[in-house]
Amino acid sequence: MINRIVAVAALVPAMLGATAGSVPAQATPKASAEVVTLTYDAGGAGKWADAIKKAAENWNAAVHNVHLQPASSAASADFVYKATSGWPQSTLGPVFPGGSGEVQLGEEAVTEGYDLARVATHETGHILGLPDDYDGPCSEIMSGHGPGPSCTNDKPDATEAAQVDQNYARGASAARLKGRHVVVDIWRDAPAFATAR
């Protein structure tokens, strides 16, 4: 009996060593059992329509646990896009089905020279629960106006995508936010701020 225990004890480290080498250093995020579908309405977005389509494509290509698609009607949308004359602002999510998120795509960002698709993808990132990171590089979509108007990257990076996947990992049954916060993005050399509504 003792010989069997010693033999098994000797095999365990060998077996662990054989399997440990086969695990990749960074596992690819897996989709949750239930992919959350968020619907949006862009009927009031005017010239931003192409940028919104690109933003949805960018997020859908980057994440696994949530999928963005146009709503069948404005009334059934989980969030809406609107063109405004002011600064871009968004509901800070994560927004879930049945939610009431809003993205205001402000003309002042365009006047400052910022890329429409970058602005739309950035503001959609807020809907998906990502905060601003203005100190980040151009490769981060949530760095927003930080890198300046010459930055036209409109795709989220792997870290941002992983955070969104984590936000939606529990599917549509995840806990909802109690309060509603709006992030106002000033796309110039002034700080952004969040307000509770």
Side-chain angles (χ1 to χ4, degrees), residues 92 181-184 192-196:
L92 180 58
H181 295 278
V182 175
V183 177
V184 178
F193 56 93
T195 59

Side-chain angles (χ1 to χ4, degrees), residues 163-178:
Q163 181 60 56
V164 170
D165 276 332
Q166 183 178 345
N167 292 347
Y168 291 92
R170 291 177 42 210
S173 64
R176 307 304 197 266
L177 296 176
K178 300 246 186 255

Side-chain angles (χ1 to χ4, degrees), residues 128-150:
L128 299 174
L130 298 180
D132 288 312
D133 180 17
Y134 294 135
D135 293 329
C138 178
S139 59
E140 290 179 7
I141 197 65
M142 299 314 292
S143 65
H145 71 273
S150 64

